[in-house]
């Protein structure tokens, strides 16, 4: 006889064994937990050390770019503040002269009042709304004495100049406010980029930092090889120039200034440049070991353009404050013809500069957290060099 028992729906099986509903729910939970675990970042999701290095270098470059913008804004702000102070002082002096001219007109009015003559006429001048109102009163001018006319002319002139100076001062104040805003923005950008770079470095393990140091060492060694290659190229050029000229004069450019023996070549077109360059380099060498501080111009710390500006100032040459302006403050020369004292600029946005010392090397203030030092001009790769400029 057929069974009337209700058939049971087969449940899921594990290893061929039917599982109850509770077991099914447990399996679902395990699956969900497994998916969640897979969503948690693993070591494979971490950026590579090379990516971290590129990111940190990029942040430092952005900070240096913001530093040059800060330097430019700071310079504009200082000039504008000086301009505003001068104008406000001028306004005060002109206001004083205007008051004196008004008092002189008032004395004429008082005298006319005592004699009963011309009171309304002089009062009209004192109450005039603008210089044009005064000039429009032709009949009144005809009735005035010569001295009275001089007093009116003086009053009109002082009033006009005072108004003009006040307008100029107001405009300069507005420009000053804008410059201060640019300065504040640039400062905040520098600080933010530096903070981001430090936080990235802080996340590295000791092993990763050691590996990063090894990568940096390889880059320095490659940069040194490039510098030596440039030094050999420049030496060959000097020897060729010596043969062409038939003279064996001592090299006045001092290309052996980084420690190698001196070499001979024909003197540069401007022999005085070598003398100035020697003074600039002596200054730069004296700053080696001092910390890089963004926006600093010495004497205890420097940023890149602050160092080059200070170096050439010691030689009697005034350079602009920022890399953007320094790059235009002289004659551009090929890297192969760089002489000690020349300025070496880096990156497409011209945000870094060092002072060439010869043999493919320079003295520069690299970046925050470092010190003024001697280094290959190829420290960040040959492609990073923007141009070489010989200060005028």
């Amino acid at each position: 006889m057929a069974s009337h028992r209700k058939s049971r729906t087969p449940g899921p099986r594990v290893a061929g064994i039917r599982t109850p509903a509770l077991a099914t729910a447990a399996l679902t939970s395990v699956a969900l937990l497994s998916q969640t675990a897979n969503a948690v970042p693993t070591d494979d999701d971490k950026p590579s050390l090379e990516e971290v290095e590129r990111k940190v270098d990029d942040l430092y470059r952005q900070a240096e770019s913001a530093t040059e913008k800060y330097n430019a804004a700071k310079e504009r702000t200082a000039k504008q503040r000086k301009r505003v102070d001068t104008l406000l002082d001028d306004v005060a002096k002109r206001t004083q002269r205007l008051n004196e001219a008004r008092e002189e007109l008032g004395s004429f009015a008082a005298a006319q009042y005592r004699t009963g003559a011309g009171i309304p006429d002089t009062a009209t001048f004192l109450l005039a709304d603008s210089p044009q109102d005064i000039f429009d009163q032709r009949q009144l001018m005809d009735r005035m004495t010569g001295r009275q006319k001089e007093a009116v002319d003086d009053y009109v002139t002082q009033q006009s100049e005072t108004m003009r100076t006040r307008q100029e001062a107001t405009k300069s104040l507005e420009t000053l406010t804008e410059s201060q805003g640019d300065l504040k923005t640039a400062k905040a950008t520098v600080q933010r980029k530096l903070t981001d770079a430090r936080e990235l470095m802080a996340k590295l393990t000791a092993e990763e930092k050691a590996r990063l140091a090894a990568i940096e060492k390889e880059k320095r060694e490659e940069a040194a090889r490039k510098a030596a290659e440039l030094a050999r190229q420049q030496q060959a050029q000097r020897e060729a120039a010596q043969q062409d000229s038939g003279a064996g004069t001592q090299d006045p450019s001092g290309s052996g200034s980084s420690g190698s023996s001196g070499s001979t070549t024909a003197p540069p077109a401007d022999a005085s440049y070598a003398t100035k360059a020697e003074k600039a380099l002596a200054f730069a060498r004296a700053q080696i070991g001092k910390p890089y501080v963004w926006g600093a111009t010495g004497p205890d710390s420097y940023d890149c353009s602050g160092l080059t500006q200070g170096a050439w100032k010691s030689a009697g040459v005034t350079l602009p404050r920022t890399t953007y302006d320094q790059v235009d403050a002289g004659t551009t020369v090929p890297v192969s013809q760089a002489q000690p004292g020349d300025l070496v600029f880096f990156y497409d946005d011209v945000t870094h500069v060092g002072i060439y010392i010869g043999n493919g090397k320079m003295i520069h203030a690299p970046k925050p957290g470092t010190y003024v030092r001697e280094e290959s001009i190829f420290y960040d790769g040959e492609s990073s060099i923007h141009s070489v400029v010989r200060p005028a």
Side-chain angles (χ1 to χ4, degrees):
M1 181 167 60
S3 173
H4 295 287
R5 182 178 298 170
K6 185 176 182 181
S7 61
R8 186 176 297 171
T9 303
R13 292 174 178 269
V14 176
I17 301 175
R18 183 183 297 151
T19 57
L22 183 60
T24 301
L27 285 173
T28 303
S29 298
V30 170
L32 289 174
L33 287 173
S34 177
Q35 293 175 1
T36 303
N38 290 335
V40 175
T42 64
D43 289 342
D44 294 337
D45 297 320
K46 292 177 60 177
S48 68
L49 195 58
E50 290 75 11
E51 290 173 335
V52 171
E53 182 193 29
R54 285 195 296 270
K55 181 64 175 176
V56 170
D57 286 346
D58 187 51
L59 285 169
Y60 276 127
R61 278 198 54 204
Q62 291 177 32
E64 194 162 35
S65 176
T67 295
E68 291 305 310
K69 292 178 181 178
Y70 169 86
N71 291 338
K74 184 178 181 180
E75 189 173 44
R76 286 196 305 271
T77 300
K79 290 180 179 178
Q80 201 60 40
R81 183 177 289 113
K82 183 176 181 180
R83 175 62 176 160
V84 167
D85 290 343
T86 299
L87 286 170
L88 291 178
D89 184 58
D90 194 19
V91 166
K93 292 178 180 179
R94 291 189 182 282
T95 300
Q96 176 62 30
R97 289 195 289 270
L98 179 63
N99 290 336
E100 291 171 355
R102 183 181 291 113
E103 289 174 1
E104 186 171 7
L105 282 179
S107 65
F108 283 124
Q112 290 171 344
Y113 179 79
R114 287 192 297 271
T115 61
I119 300 174
D121 295 339
T122 305
T124 300
F125 279 102
L126 293 175
L127 297 176
D129 291 333
S130 69
Q132 187 61 45
D133 293 338
I134 296 175
F135 284 115
D136 288 341
Q137 302 176 53
R138 301 294 183 185
Q139 293 182 350
L140 179 58
M141 292 291 289
D142 292 340
R143 293 197 298 269
M144 283 186 174
T145 65
R147 185 66 191 90
Q148 288 173 324
K149 289 180 179 179
E150 289 178 5
V152 170
D153 287 341
D154 185 47
Y155 177 78
V156 170
T157 299
Q158 295 301 332
Q159 186 183 51
S160 177
E161 291 181 353
T162 301
M163 291 173 62
R164 178 186 55 78
T165 305
R166 283 175 178 169
Q167 291 172 351
E168 189 174 354
T170 299
K171 185 176 181 180
S172 293
L173 280 169
E174 292 173 353
T175 303
L176 175 60
T177 301
E178 293 176 1
S179 296
Q180 289 173 329
D182 293 341
L183 185 65
K184 184 178 180 180
T185 299
K187 182 176 181 179
T189 301
V190 174
Q191 293 173 331
R192 185 174 65 254
K193 298 300 181 182
L194 293 181
T195 298
D196 291 345
R198 293 188 187 108
E199 288 178 351
L200 273 176
M201 291 298 293
K203 293 177 181 178
L204 297 179
T205 65
E207 181 182 357
E208 288 173 328
K209 289 179 180 178
R211 286 170 53 202
L212 191 59
I215 293 174
E216 288 295 326
K217 182 180 178 181
E218 290 179 2
K219 289 174 61 177
R220 288 195 299 271
E221 290 173 350
E222 176 62 21
R225 285 193 292 270
K226 287 283 188 180
E229 181 181 337
L230 176 61
R232 287 191 294 269
Q233 181 182 358
Q234 291 178 330
Q235 175 65 21
Q237 289 178 342
R238 289 192 294 271
E239 291 174 352
Q242 177 184 341
Q243 292 175 356
D244 290 342
S245 64
T249 56
Q250 182 67 28
D251 177 12
S253 68
S255 294
S257 58
S258 64
S260 64
S261 59
S263 56
T264 58
T265 186
D270 182 5
S272 66
Y273 180 79
T275 302
K276 295 176 182 177
E278 184 178 352
K279 293 180 180 179
L281 289 173
F283 178 94
R285 288 191 182 92
Q287 314 314 312
I288 291 178
K290 293 183 179 180
Y292 175 105
V293 174
W294 64 273
T297 56
D300 300 321
S301 57
Y302 295 87
D303 63 16
C304 67
S305 56
L307 175 65
T308 51
Q309 184 187 47
W312 271 101
K313 183 179 180 181
S314 71
V317 177
T318 301
L319 292 180
R321 175 63 182 95
T322 69
T323 55
Y324 312 127
D325 294 324
Q326 288 183 10
V327 75
D328 295 323
T331 303
T332 301
V333 298
V335 175
S336 62
Q337 296 179 22
Q339 292 184 9
D342 291 352
L343 302 180
V344 187
F345 294 90
F346 297 85
Y347 312 118
D348 292 339
D349 53 358
V350 198
T351 52
H352 188 66
V353 63
I355 183 167
Y356 192 65
I357 63 175
N359 291 335
K361 298 180 180 180
M362 65 179 175
I363 295 174
H364 69 148
K367 62 184 179 182
T370 62
Y371 298 84
V372 176
R373 66 192 183 201
E374 180 181 315
E375 194 163 26
S376 167
I377 64 172
F378 302 103
Y379 80 108
D380 202 20
E382 188 172 2
S383 62
S384 69
I385 298 176
H386 176 275
S387 58
V388 177
V389 172
R390 189 159 298 154

